[in-house]
Amino acid sequence: GAVVSQHPSWVICKSGTSVKIECRSLDFQATTMFWYRQFPKQSLMLMATSNEGSKATYEQGVEKDKFLINHASLTLSTLTVTSAHPEDSSFYICSARGSRGEAFFGQGTRLTVV
Amino acid sequence: SQKIEQNSEALNIQEGKTATLTCNYTNYSPAYLQWYRQDPGRGPVFLLLIRENEKEKRKERLKVTFDTTLKQSLFHITASQPADSATYLCALHTGGGNKLTFGTGTQLKVEL
């Protein structure tokens, strides 16, 4: 299957600062990537769909000015959590879609805001 | 309202037995249903995809069924092993097939 690499795997930041998470497709080109958030013992919640060369599409209730998504190339999408607060602490995961519609996920990023 | 329900309680079974996990959904008409495995602190890993016109799909020790009348999918692991212990998620294609919506997952523990 396709390989999606996410970096960093974990990050601790101070409240009010911004954090950037990278998601790379290593062996294929991904015109569309997806960003999810997962709280403990809960399901993956889709935050936004990242489209190469155009604006991301955000799900209802997700603040686009707080969660900035950039998909500048066919192999890289980034999620920046701006002015992070403790309630933003969560597990963030990106994915790219395979030819059959299956999702290939990155390793995830554990964000802790202190 | 739309729901995807999986057993929230952990499923504990003995090594060698068959594990059966359930995924029920309401107010969806998915063309595809998928199953994923997720280990703690890791992203989900794709296991199987089954289409609405397929009743059953197999891959090695895994078997998935899809009943669009009951709006239910069953996921079976035969001859289970401790290494099968993980959380298993079902996911539906929604939003015209462009999005994947996930259930909450069922934690499976296979004991020696």
Side-chain angles (χ1 to χ4, degrees):
Chain A
V3 179
V4 175
S5 178
Q6 190 172 338
H7 178 82
S9 57
W10 62 270
V11 58
I12 301 173
C13 72
K14 291 185 177 180
S15 188
T17 61
S18 296
V19 172
K20 180 185 284 189
I21 303 170
E22 293 187 348
C23 181
R24 295 181 183 273
S25 55
L26 296 186
D27 54 357
F28 67 105
Q29 294 180 331
T31 55
T32 303
M33 289 187 177
F34 302 86
W35 287 95
Y36 294 83
R37 180 167 52 184
Q38 186 177 34
F39 292 105
K41 304 228 182 261
Q42 292 189 24
S43 182
L44 281 78
M45 297 302 297
L46 180 65
M47 299 175 66
T49 301
S50 171
N51 303 299
E52 188 269 335
S54 65
K55 292 182 179 180
T57 304
Y58 290 81
E59 294 300 299
Q60 193 172 12
V62 178
E63 298 176 59
K64 60 182 178 182
D65 294 331
K66 181 169 185 61
F67 298 100
L68 299 179
I69 291 173
N70 184 279
H71 196 152
S73 77
L74 288 171
T75 59
L76 174 64
S77 175
T78 61
L79 168 67
T80 301
V81 183
T82 63
S83 187
H85 288 96
E87 56 266 30
D88 298 323
S89 300
S90 188
F91 191 55
Y92 292 86
I93 321 173
C94 67
S95 77
R97 191 66 62 80
S99 59
R100 294 177 295 166
E102 71 275 43
F104 296 102
F105 285 90
Q107 303 94 318
T109 298
R110 172 72 59 194
L111 170 63
T112 302
V113 184
V114 297
Chain B
S1 61
Q2 295 175 314
K3 290 182 183 178
I4 303 172
E5 295 180 311
Q6 296 183 252
N7 288 348
S8 57
E9 294 182 11
L11 176 64
N12 298 326
I13 65 166
Q14 199 171 20
E15 182 180 21
K17 301 292 186 184
T18 296
T20 299
L21 286 69
T22 305
C23 176
N24 294 297
Y25 59 93
T26 54
N27 294 322
Y28 285 110
S29 297
Y32 304 87
L33 186 146
Q34 302 182 20
W35 283 89
Y36 291 79
R37 168 184 173 140
Q38 186 175 24
D39 291 285
R42 309 284 292 179
V45 174
F46 170 74
L47 296 176
L48 281 168
L49 178 152
I50 187 165
R51 295 179 174 81
E52 61 178 342
N53 60 351
E54 297 176 314
K55 297 296 184 186
E56 181 179 297
K57 202 77 163 289
R58 292 175 184 261
K59 178 183 176 183
E60 297 173 354
R61 293 185 296 112
L62 309 180
K63 185 178 84 171
V64 171
T65 62
F66 191 12
D67 189 325
T68 55
T69 300
L70 291 178
K71 295 187 181 297
Q72 180 182 78
S73 175
L74 299 179
F75 177 79
H76 307 272
I77 305 176
T78 58
S80 59
Q81 305 166 359
D84 295 326
S85 298
T87 295
Y88 291 86
L89 305 162
C90 70
L92 306 182
H93 283 238
T94 59
N98 192 39
K99 302 179 184 179
L100 274 182
T101 302
F102 286 82
T104 52
T106 298
Q107 185 178 10
L108 172 67
K109 294 181 182 178
V110 181
E111 300 164 337
L112 294 170

